[in-house]
Amino acid sequence: MCQLLGMNCNVPTDIVFSFEGFRRRGGETDEHADGWGIAFFEDGGCRVFLDYLPSSISPVADLVKNYPIQSRNVIAHIRKATQGAVSLANTHPFQRELWGRYWLFAHNGNLAERPSLDDGRFTPVGSTDSEHAFCALLNQLSRHFGEPPSLADLHGAVADYAGTLSRSGTFNFLLSDGRALFAHCSTDLFYVVRESPFSTAHLSDADVSIDFARVTTPRDRVAVIATRPLTDNEDWTRMRSGELLCFVDGMPRPSPI
Amino acid sequence: MCQLLGMNCNVPTDIVFSFEGFRRRGGETDEHADGWGIAFFEDGGCRVFLDYLPSSISPVADLVKNYPIQSRNVIAHIRKATQGAVSLANTHPFQRELWGRYWLFAHNGNLAERPSLDDGRFTPVGSTDSEHAFCALLNQLSRHFGEPPSLADLHGAVADYAGTLSRSGTFNFLLSDGRALFAHCSTDLFYVVRESPFSTAHLSDADVSIDFARVTTPRDRVAVIATRPLTDNEDWTRMRSGELLCFVDGMPRPSPI
């Protein structure tokens, strides 16, 4: 399987601290060593850093650690290959454009059946079930909505799709169009919301601490979402199976009914 | 304006030497300091590195210099903003997916009129004339061809489009779908083909030389395309205005009639 990391904030924030723990699970503290990637939304655009080296030793991961990119929506993924060879074409997050916005997607799990692409405009480049599911989702959204939907309508449509697809396997995923970050839990996804009064956090995967009170302002709010909690002294909330949260400005909105 | 750099090879090759000269034109030896980007096709996938810092001082450019990525098709761009603010959304190369392949595009020039998007599936995210032209091209290709065309048919269609668009301004561009690299010249584009017997090349923008005989095999062939020659001791061929070359395996195929 793989592991996911996401961040959603009300002001542009760097992910260096969380990434420092997360990257070690790619070959050092855990086995997810078949490539990795991280994507940042910035200024309406986005940039995606990918590498097929393990994140624990990747020079691209060194760059991400040393160059604190400020972003309100971040998605990262470390891979343990189940379907599809180790190659750049199979490395998450995957990126597409729809309605003049970039969309990013990363998946943890394994789907026994691949959903129909319905002759839609989005086609996978690589051979993973994950990219296939992402393309099927975008095909469904572009067919369903004649024009860009509101966030609430989008939330409902993504929840429907996630529910349907979850029947054919494990479908934990993170999805963002730069406005919000959607987090869907099949089996394993946790989150923590950091806000004032801030305290000190300590990584689970490295003896590294940070006092958030020193690097934030009282109005900052940051949600971090991960397959397994990244710190050992914060209260992480375990998401329920089937739940799709929509994070906006560092706060989760619950699954639509 | 901006500057372009492209590479097309018959075996995966790193672009470190050429990039070392090129990046200096982004704020050091020349004025193109409004962001930059470079994209590599690898294993059917691709990765794009973008930064809005000048390439001469960008940490991302340091990574590209120090991490020799092997690729058969590379497109790079340094920007001097004419249309659109300095932001990540306006940074070339731009990326889209069509027919299960990634497409990359970078432009040097300025278009007085923006071509129609024809209600097509590709929509710009940023505000540049360049990304707009790229989306219009892909809309036209996806409408024109019911299925992925041969390289010869694609060459013809891209040449038609480039000819039409060139009437509204300067339209030097590089385009690749990972199989070939298309280079269109309105005003300024040069190329050199390096093949056996290899010799030593010396950069124009830095006192750096490389003996290609030491880092190649006799069957390697590499074409480098740039807005201005990157070396001062090789024979660069100046492309003609209106010419669209299709580089495959390090060799240019001429414009279709």
Side-chain angles (χ1 to χ4, degrees):
Chain A
M1 305 288 269
C2 310
Q3 287 207 16
L4 297 168
L5 166 64
M7 185 177 76
N8 169 272
C9 326
N10 65 346
V11 292
T13 304
D14 79 66
I15 199 170
V16 169
F17 173 72
S18 297
F19 183 71
E20 175 58 16
F22 186 68
R23 71 174 287 197
R24 296 185 186 226
R25 297 178 182 179
E28 188 180 310
T29 61
D30 211 332
E31 62 179 359
H32 313 281
D34 297 330
W36 70 282
I38 189 167
F40 302 85
F41 279 98
E42 297 163 83
D43 288 338
C46 73
R47 49 183 157 180
V48 184
F49 295 91
L50 303 172
D51 205 4
Y52 34 62
L53 290 179
S55 55
S56 59
I57 60 165
S58 159
V60 186
D62 290 341
L63 170 76
V64 170
K65 184 192 159 198
N66 296 323
Y67 186 31
I69 292 173
Q70 307 281 318
S71 171
R72 292 180 57 191
N73 286 288
V74 180
I75 292 178
H77 182 271
I78 49 177
R79 183 162 184 241
K80 169 118 178 77
T82 50
Q83 294 187 33
V86 177
S87 81
L88 211 63
N90 290 339
T91 304
H92 312 219
F94 301 103
Q95 178 189 339
R96 293 293 188 275
E97 171 266 314
L98 174 61
W99 298 315
R101 287 188 162 273
Y102 292 120
W103 294 68
L104 295 162
F105 176 85
H107 169 221
N108 156 29
N110 208 11
L111 299 171
E113 284 173 41
R114 298 192 174 206
S116 167
L117 294 170
D118 288 327
D119 270 338
R121 44 179 278 193
F122 296 99
T123 310
V125 174
S127 56
T128 62
D129 52 340
S130 310
E131 188 191 12
H132 193 101
F134 177 41
C135 290
L137 165 64
L138 293 183
N139 284 334
Q140 202 163 94
L141 291 179
S142 66
R143 193 165 303 225
H144 189 72
F145 295 106
E147 54 187 35
S150 70
L151 214 47
D153 288 346
L154 182 63
H155 195 173
V158 174
D160 279 351
Y161 177 80
T164 305
L165 225 68
S166 295
R167 287 181 218 135
S168 72
T170 309
F171 198 41
N172 304 295
F173 69 78
L174 299 176
L175 169 76
S176 180
D177 67 350
R179 293 180 301 172
L181 193 149
F182 294 97
H184 182 259
C185 175
S186 269
T187 53
D188 296 297
L189 218 44
F190 295 77
Y191 70 90
V192 64
V193 173
R194 295 179 182 137
E195 58 192 336
S196 180
F198 290 98
S199 57
T200 295
H202 180 265
L203 290 178
S204 308
D205 294 78
D207 190 13
V208 176
S209 293
I210 189 168
D211 178 2
F212 286 116
R214 293 188 52 197
V215 293
T216 52
T217 71
R219 64 173 290 272
D220 294 1
R221 192 168 54 220
V222 176
V224 176
I225 305 108
T227 299
R228 304 235 174 279
L230 286 161
T231 56
D232 53 21
N233 64 339
E234 294 180 295
D235 278 335
W236 290 73
T237 302
R238 180 171 202 132
M239 285 178 62
R240 287 178 290 106
S241 178
E243 192 173 29
L244 176 76
L245 298 179
C246 170
F247 288 87
V248 179
D249 290 335
M251 282 294 284
R253 298 179 181 179
S255 280
I257 297 160
Chain B
M1 306 285 272
C2 311
Q3 288 207 15
L4 298 168
L5 166 65
M7 186 176 76
N8 169 271
C9 326
N10 66 345
V11 292
T13 304
D14 80 64
I15 199 170
V16 169
F17 172 72
S18 296
F19 182 71
E20 176 57 15
F22 186 69
R23 70 174 288 198
R24 294 183 188 227
R25 298 179 181 177
E28 188 181 309
T29 61
D30 212 333
E31 61 179 0
H32 313 280
D34 296 329
W36 71 281
I38 189 166
F40 302 85
F41 279 98
E42 298 164 80
D43 290 338
C46 73
R47 49 182 156 179
V48 184
F49 295 91
L50 303 173
D51 205 4
Y52 34 63
L53 291 179
S55 54
S56 58
I57 60 165
S58 158
V60 186
D62 291 340
L63 170 76
V64 170
K65 186 193 157 194
N66 296 323
Y67 185 31
I69 293 173
Q70 308 280 317
S71 171
R72 291 180 59 191
N73 285 289
V74 180
I75 291 178
H77 182 270
I78 48 177
R79 183 163 184 241
K80 169 119 179 76
T82 51
Q83 294 187 34
V86 177
S87 81
L88 212 64
N90 289 339
T91 304
H92 312 219
F94 300 104
Q95 177 190 340
R96 294 292 188 277
E97 171 265 314
L98 173 61
W99 297 315
R101 287 188 163 274
Y102 292 120
W103 295 68
L104 295 163
F105 176 85
H107 168 221
N108 156 28
N110 208 10
L111 298 171
E113 283 172 39
R114 301 196 170 201
S116 167
L117 294 170
D118 287 328
D119 270 339
R121 45 180 277 194
F122 296 99
T123 310
V125 174
S127 56
T128 62
D129 52 341
S130 311
E131 187 192 13
H132 193 101
F134 177 42
C135 289
L137 165 64
L138 294 182
N139 283 335
Q140 202 163 94
L141 291 177
S142 68
R143 193 165 304 223
H144 188 72
F145 295 106
E147 55 187 34
S150 69
L151 216 45
D153 288 346
L154 182 62
H155 196 173
V158 174
D160 280 349
Y161 176 81
T164 305
L165 225 66
S166 293
R167 287 181 217 135
S168 72
T170 308
F171 198 42
N172 304 294
F173 70 77
L174 299 176
L175 170 76
S176 180
D177 68 349
R179 294 181 300 171
L181 192 147
F182 293 97
H184 182 259
C185 176
S186 270
T187 54
D188 296 295
L189 218 46
F190 294 77
Y191 70 91
V192 64
V193 174
R194 294 178 182 137
E195 58 192 336
S196 179
F198 290 99
S199 57
T200 295
H202 179 265
L203 290 178
S204 310
D205 295 78
D207 190 13
V208 175
S209 293
I210 189 167
D211 178 2
F212 286 115
R214 294 187 53 195
V215 293
T216 52
T217 72
R219 63 173 290 273
D220 294 2
R221 192 169 54 223
V222 176
V224 177
I225 304 107
T227 299
R228 304 237 175 276
L230 285 161
T231 57
D232 52 21
N233 64 339
E234 294 180 296
D235 279 335
W236 289 73
T237 302
R238 180 171 203 133
M239 286 178 63
R240 286 179 288 108
S241 178
E243 193 173 29
L244 176 76
L245 297 179
C246 170
F247 288 87
V248 179
D249 289 336
M251 282 294 284
R253 298 179 182 179
S255 280
I257 298 161

